[in-house]
Amino acid sequence: MGTVMSVAAPGGTDPELFAVATEAAFARLRHADEIFSPFQQDSPVSQIRDGRLPLAGLGTHPAGAEIRQILAVCASLKSRSGGAFDAWAVGDPPVFDPCGAVKGWAAEQASAVLASRGLTRHSLGAGGDVRVLGGSEEGSWRVGITDPHSPGGILAVAELADGAVATSGTAERGVHIWDPLGGRPASDLVQVTVIGPSLTWADGYATAAMALGTQAYGWLTDLAERTGYQALTVDHETGVWWTPGMAEHVPALRGHATAGAGG
């Protein structure tokens, strides 16, 4: 998936349980990569992209059920974002690329595997995304949010026992998210972080917000009111904006001005 995956657990975790659970989770991630990687010529996604695997043939394909699940996630994200997330219109010329939905979905699946194998308290890192479950020794996991204007620095720390923190931006990979509405790379914002129950949706929402650029503020505010997913953005002038509920997860924001404030 073009990134590093890692797992952490509280210090008292049984080493053998940890090893067995993480191997199963990583196997699940490798399986997802084999299906959805657009960088592997013979992956099902590559075959869909070049017409070798018609969607009508998914019913008999070994990975058909998983592919249909991702297609449903992509369709939902497109609808919820007003077209800002469109897996069928990535790049120029537009091609099918569901990567913006796959990483969060795959990491969410891997977290479920960890829990099913007995690792009910863990943190799964997937590049700029983190899925936590069960709390740490202190009760909440602490997840650093990268400062895109200070390489290696931390902008803020989110605290949550269960849930997901997804960050999309240009700090690590440069401008790489496509704006299908404008037909250009998305570069108006530097970074978007979304926090919510599921990494599948948090990651997709963060990607959509990056594509929306400065239009994301109203969309994220509405999203927070409707779904409870909270967001924090960073612009090119180092201004920081957040939805009102973000302060519930990020202690540094408590007592500061409400959504829309810069810092």
Side-chain angles (χ1 to χ4, degrees):
M1 279 174 254
T3 190
V4 175
M5 304 287 187
S6 62
V7 177
T13 302
D14 179 81
E16 184 176 350
L17 183 150
F18 182 85
V20 171
T22 52
E23 178 53 37
F26 290 142
R28 182 69 185 85
L29 290 167
R30 288 190 291 268
H31 173 72
D33 192 56
E34 291 171 359
I35 296 171
F36 296 106
S37 174
F39 308 109
Q40 298 186 35
Q41 184 178 0
D42 290 323
S43 72
V45 159
S46 293
Q47 293 179 41
I48 291 173
R49 176 183 285 185
D50 62 24
R52 285 178 290 159
L53 176 58
L55 297 185
L58 292 179
T60 58
H61 193 279
E66 292 164 291
I67 296 171
R68 285 196 297 268
Q69 190 173 352
I70 281 294
L71 291 176
V73 171
C74 290
S76 183
L77 286 169
K78 180 179 179 180
S79 175
R80 298 180 190 187
S81 67
F85 186 108
D86 188 348
W88 295 93
V90 179
D92 184 18
V95 296
F96 175 58
D97 186 348
C99 287
V102 169
K103 186 178 72 168
W105 173 84
E108 189 74 28
Q109 298 275 316
S111 176
V113 169
L114 291 171
S116 71
R117 294 301 182 100
L119 200 64
T120 54
R121 299 173 66 195
H122 65 260
S123 171
L124 172 65
D129 302 334
V130 180
R131 179 67 166 93
V132 298
L133 183 68
S136 63
E137 293 96 330
E138 292 76 25
S140 293
W141 292 98
R142 291 167 52 82
V143 180
I145 299 173
T146 298
D147 183 346
H149 295 292
S150 178
I154 298 297
L155 178 68
V157 176
E159 297 182 358
L160 64 167
D162 297 284
V165 181
T167 297
S168 292
T170 61
E172 299 295 330
R173 299 173 56 192
V175 177
H176 65 282
I177 294 173
W178 188 258
D179 170 14
L181 297 175
R184 61 182 178 84
S187 59
D188 289 349
L189 292 176
V190 175
Q191 183 170 287
V192 177
T193 296
V194 175
I195 296 180
S198 166
L199 191 53
T200 299
W201 300 111
D203 188 31
Y205 292 149
T207 301
M210 281 292 295
L212 283 167
T214 55
Q215 297 181 48
Y217 302 132
W219 181 73
L220 288 169
T221 299
D222 179 66
L223 182 73
E225 292 174 350
R226 290 186 294 104
T227 69
Y229 282 80
Q230 305 296 331
L232 180 149
T233 71
V234 184
D235 62 30
H236 288 277
E237 282 69 46
T238 72
V240 179
W241 175 96
W242 60 90
T243 54
M246 196 66 170
E248 298 176 10
H249 304 293
V250 182
L253 300 180
R254 296 168 190 168
H256 287 267
T258 56

